[in-house]
Amino acid sequence: MDISCLYDKGVSFDEFVNKDKDTYKEKVLEILNKIRLSDELINKIEIIDKKIKVLVCAEIWCPDCMINVPVLAKMKEYNNNIDISIVEKNGNEDFFIKYSEEDRIKIPTFVFFDEKFKELGSFVEHPKKIKNIISKGNQPNIIVAMRKYRKGEYAEETVKDILEILLRSQ
């Protein structure tokens, strides 16, 4: 499928959240409202002066989506050059599978494009800091980190990973 067609098929963050009328919606909005970014990160978000299209593969029920998709929405609050289009995993596997290191799609997957759909990079499932903790295999550290992560305490790490992709293309 053509990337622009897939992008046009997606929904906005608000439409994504409003697909659910209950617990998932509440959790996503709770995470969004709790995100606090440092002035340094806000400044880096605000200086992005080119249009960025973000194609997101996500499901509202997914814990990682509940955490990371609101981070992306928060970034958009600071810079309208960031445009988000969210599509479901089901039916879009052929496109998103190439961003996973396994035989199955990890969600959320964010794929960043310029306004002409030149790919800039991707973010998959967790911020690098969490992936690093998991890779070390120390169960107590993983448990503590994942508890904090599920509360949204690693939101800045997700922002840093995304900014790394976006700022190198500026």
Side-chain angles (χ1 to χ4, degrees):
M1 174 181 281
D2 177 71
I3 295 169
S4 63
C5 290
L6 181 58
Y7 191 86
D8 290 343
K9 187 171 96 167
V11 298
S12 69
F13 175 75
D14 289 339
E15 291 170 302
F16 173 73
V17 171
N18 287 319
K19 282 184 176 182
D20 185 70
K21 303 289 183 230
D22 204 11
T23 309
Y24 301 131
K25 177 180 179 176
E26 286 177 25
K27 180 70 174 169
V28 169
L29 294 175
E30 177 186 323
I31 294 283
L32 177 66
N33 292 325
K34 283 183 8 183
I35 295 172
R36 300 289 176 260
L37 302 177
S38 69
D39 289 343
E40 178 187 355
L41 286 178
I42 292 169
N43 290 337
K44 286 180 178 182
I45 294 166
E46 290 175 339
I47 64 167
I48 296 169
D49 61 354
K50 295 180 180 154
K51 291 286 185 191
I52 303 292
K53 294 181 178 288
V54 189
L55 179 59
V56 177
C57 181
E59 300 289 345
I60 192 77
W61 49 261
C62 168
D64 295 307
C65 295
M66 285 184 225
I67 294 159
N68 291 310
V69 175
V71 171
L72 199 55
K74 181 62 79 173
M75 291 178 74
K76 182 176 174 53
E77 286 178 15
Y78 290 110
N79 191 325
N80 272 334
N81 282 324
I82 300 170
D83 190 47
I84 303 167
S85 177
I86 305 171
V87 297
E88 295 177 351
K89 181 177 164 182
N90 190 19
N92 297 306
E93 296 89 351
D94 289 347
F95 178 80
F96 289 100
I97 192 68
K98 64 186 166 198
Y99 298 99
S100 181
E101 295 173 3
E102 298 177 14
D103 291 340
R104 61 186 179 87
I105 297 170
K106 300 275 190 168
I107 55 174
T109 295
F110 303 161
V111 186
F112 301 92
F113 300 97
D114 68 12
E115 61 189 328
K116 295 181 180 174
F117 287 101
K118 176 183 172 241
E119 189 175 318
L120 306 173
S122 62
F123 171 94
V124 180
E125 192 177 30
H126 301 120
K128 289 178 191 172
K129 191 164 193 167
I130 291 293
K131 288 178 181 178
N132 187 32
I133 292 168
I134 292 169
S135 73
K136 290 181 179 171
N138 181 317
Q139 276 310 111
N141 288 351
I142 293 170
I143 291 167
V144 169
M146 290 307 285
R147 281 185 184 148
K148 289 180 177 182
Y149 169 72
R150 298 274 187 243
K151 291 182 196 173
E153 292 182 29
Y154 281 86
E156 283 202 344
E157 295 302 320
T158 299
V159 171
K160 288 176 189 175
D161 289 358
I162 292 170
L163 284 171
E164 184 180 315
I165 294 164
L166 299 182
L167 295 178
R168 75 172 167 236
S169 69
Q170 288 287 302

